[in-house]
Amino acid sequence: MAKQTKSNTIVHPRYGCAIGAAYTVAAIPGGVPIANCGPGCVDKQYYGLSGSNGFQGSGVASGGDMPSVNFGENEVVFGGAKKLDGLIKSSLKIVKGDLFVILTGCSGELIGDNVESVVKTYKQQGYNIVFADTAGFKGNNLRGHEIVVKAIIDQFVGDYKGRRRKKLINLWTEIPYFNTFWRGDLAELKRVLEGAGFEVNVFFGPQSKGISEWKSIPRASFNLVVSPWVGVSIAKHLEKKYGQPYLHIPVLPIGEEATSAFLRRVVEFAGISPEIAEKFIAREAHEYYYYLEHFADFFAEYWFGLPSKFAAVGDSAYNIALTKFLADQVGLIPVRQIITDDPPEKFRESISALYHDLTEGVEIDPEYIEDGYLVEQALYDTDFGTGVPLILGSSWEKDVAAERKGLLLEVGTPATEEVVINRSYIGYRGALTLLEKIYTSTVGGK
Amino acid sequence: MARNIQLDLETVENREMRLGSIISWDGSASELVELSRYEERALRHKGCPGAGKNGEGCRLCELNMPFNQQSMCANSIAACQAGNLRDCVLIQHSPVGCTARNPEFNLAFRNGLERRGIKPRNINIMTTNLLENDMVFGASEKLKKAAREAYERYNPKAIFFSMSCSTAIIGEDLSSIAAEMEDELGIPVAPMHCEGFRSKHWSTGFDIAQHAVLRHIVNKHPKKQPDLINIVALWGTDYFTEMLKPLGLRVNYIMDIASFDELAQTSEAACTSAFCHTLGSYFATALEQEYGVPQIRAPQPYGFAGTDAWLRAIAKQVGKETEAEAFIASEHERVKPKIDALRAKLKGVSGFVLTGSSYAHGLISVLRDLGITVDGSVVFHHDPVYDGGYEEQNTLKTLVEEYGDIPHFTVSKTQPFQLPALLKRVKADFIIIRHNGLAPNAARMGIPSFAIGDEHFPVGYDGMIRVGEAVIEVLARKKMNQVLQRHVSLPYSDWWLSQKDPFILAKHPEVLDEAEEVQD
């Protein structure tokens, strides 16, 4: 069983709180988050999830543009409903958007404002408006993400009794903004699934059609969850609500073998003809191995040392995906895998089991630690052997990586030494980018 | 000057009460100078000018609007102050989300260490990571455990506690726990009552952090160091030494990047000044009142006039008038040709300044010394008086008197939705900005931004040269902004973008009822 390490506090945080899900809303084309909280709450989330995480920016009505009640003493004493009402009324008139989502933080929840009754008036007027309870004390932004998605499904998507479209799938995977490479990764997943013959609702980012896509959720033949735990409760919710089945694939596919296997599994589950998928896989494999073969020259005969042992520190989705790829496809040896996103207890056994099935002859017990102090202590104590240590982590590992004279690749928040636009580390193409990044740093680049 | 600073109290009074600070106003700079009634306010307790028996005339009128955008809070500020010390630890008594900006403060801290020639390393700010149960049953034990954990792990010279919205609402007794832990651990434990909803402006957070340092860390039995000058600063490069060394002074920067000892010795200094009165006035006034450390009676060291006056005031304080005059004369001679060359290159250029209150006053002087036109500015709040209350520190008045009026002078707390209307009223080839969230919209409007991360950049004579050269580089980036302008749009409705008055919602809230249309 995996070692679990708890402390009383968190230093060097690796996630925001539930109201960080404002960035789940912001990632929907046409989505407008309205923050019902103190003046600094969503500013902090901006930095934790976007600004200090690959400098992803905000784009629409988020970042500095996000409407916010900015609770003051007056609202704490007399209630914030009136101010919220004025904010919603003006937001609908001032901010461009298709779907407005009110996210209530600690103050509003603790004083017990009745947000539902404020929102109801606007809903009755025909606005697409939803509210969600996302007080920071409810948990981290990963849980907030699930709360908000379910709120949108229940309050906006609504009931459906019609037919399903066999080729259409709903994809629930990385968390927008929180997962540093979500945009590139979503694009790659959509690309390969479409290549295999599917139509894909991705819900977030530039590949999404926005609220029409959300409205079409019940029309999909099934829900595809590609993450160790985030999204499973959404799929179960949809199963209950619409009788839609779901397929849960816990590991994001990286590399040709994993991605092709992933596509075959989805095709099989969907029960569609594998012909298109196989043609696509053959094309992708041809291209992938063309590049890998050239890279292999460097890999085989570089004189000046390559990393062998690696640690991965980060959220469970990226941690297992990277660990699996490097162990199974590159032959790097995992020596310290630390999961930092606080997965619910009920998922931990199945997550740990994945690390015991990495590749033939290689297994490791992952550790579940959210406190950065303990994370760093663990890395100080790790035996990386004789080679240069490779740490896949966040900016917080900079000091320990320097101390251990290791290579640090920032793959999760905070990432303040990466500028991320549309890079992906998954699928066919992302795998090659990941190799480029790791080995560029090996040969002395950034 | 009335004795305003009350260090015997647990916490400092909010700026809006203490100084009459405002966050929403629009007019000309000269009007604001007049309405602020700095001198009258300075004479009375609580920054209240000519207040009648019922307090009338006490407040500057504000433009309150139903629409607000996210901004920043006192809790954030307290974290970026008390959390950025070299050998102390801050514990945020809060859910984890209150610490989500810490990676950015870490970036500032690491850069700050590097600028001051110290090896960069991570900040250590802890959170008690409170959850729903803690809201129901209270979390005092968690805070005590956290203090012990901080002590064992980091061996800090002092520990700070910070209050969050949730812990304030459930009534956590930060002060009692701090006193208890101070006894147990034998080091100062300083509570900061900086819950985010507390003050309408985040800058109260500076005062709260400084209040905690003054009460818990500053040496109560100072041994004078006559060559030491306190400079209240943030993370900026050490440009002050090159200006103050000729006067025989060593600089003690407060409070980011400082060590416990550097904070403690502030009561031993010969005098105190700041890169910005908004930031430094509370600390400087408290040291003056409690320990007789005089504060410098001058505007800020920006532009020729400001820098000259500032150096002269310091020289007078430490008896180095002759040295100062020689230095001023040689510096003028040294920089003048370079500034003349920059003025020639910058002829016809217009700039727009958006920063924290009195810092903007300094930046505008620098731009105008460089021959750049500044017809508009946004300050994120306005203090009609500073704690010091000295006439020579009335920075807005000095600006208007030395450099002329600013026709469009706006007080607004980082509200990007106003930017389109604000930038339509004046010509702006570039903006100067601190604080996030505004520059991205200027960028979409085709206007490049000069983001001043190093707040000391414009200080002194060389500061003018640095700014002039940087502006020329920034203007070149307009290419990128023009691309954006051609292809992306602002996140606001056409109706809003057609408005000419950025404060129309405050003056005529009924416009919101015009022709409602349901969006779908």
Side-chain angles (χ1 to χ4, degrees), chain B residues 442-455:
Chain B
R444 288 167 177 81
M445 295 168 69
I447 300 170
S449 58
F450 174 16
I452 295 202
D454 183 345
E455 72 281 356

Side-chain angles (χ1 to χ4, degrees), chain A residues 8-10 12 39 43-44 59 65-66 68 70 73 89 92-94 96-97 127 137 371 396 399, chain B residues 68-71 75 101 110 122-123 127 132 145 149 153 197 441 491-493 513-514 516 519:
Chain A
N8 182 53
T9 51
I10 288 181
H12 302 166
D43 181 59
K44 289 172 172 182
D65 295 300
M66 197 185 294
S68 172
N70 297 346
E73 222 147 30
K89 185 180 173 184
L92 291 167
K93 183 102 180 170
I94 292 171
K96 273 196 290 203
Y127 289 104
F137 53 77
D371 177 18
W396 293 124
D399 286 350
Chain B
N68 287 287
Q69 292 170 305
Q70 69 136 69
S71 103
N75 179 279
R101 196 171 167 170
R110 296 188 75 107
N122 285 337
I123 50 167
T127 166
E132 195 139 24
K145 276 193 204 162
E149 213 162 69
R153 285 179 178 184
F197 62 74
N441 279 347
Y492 303 110
S493 66
D513 299 317
E514 286 171 4
E516 281 293 344
Q519 307 183 22

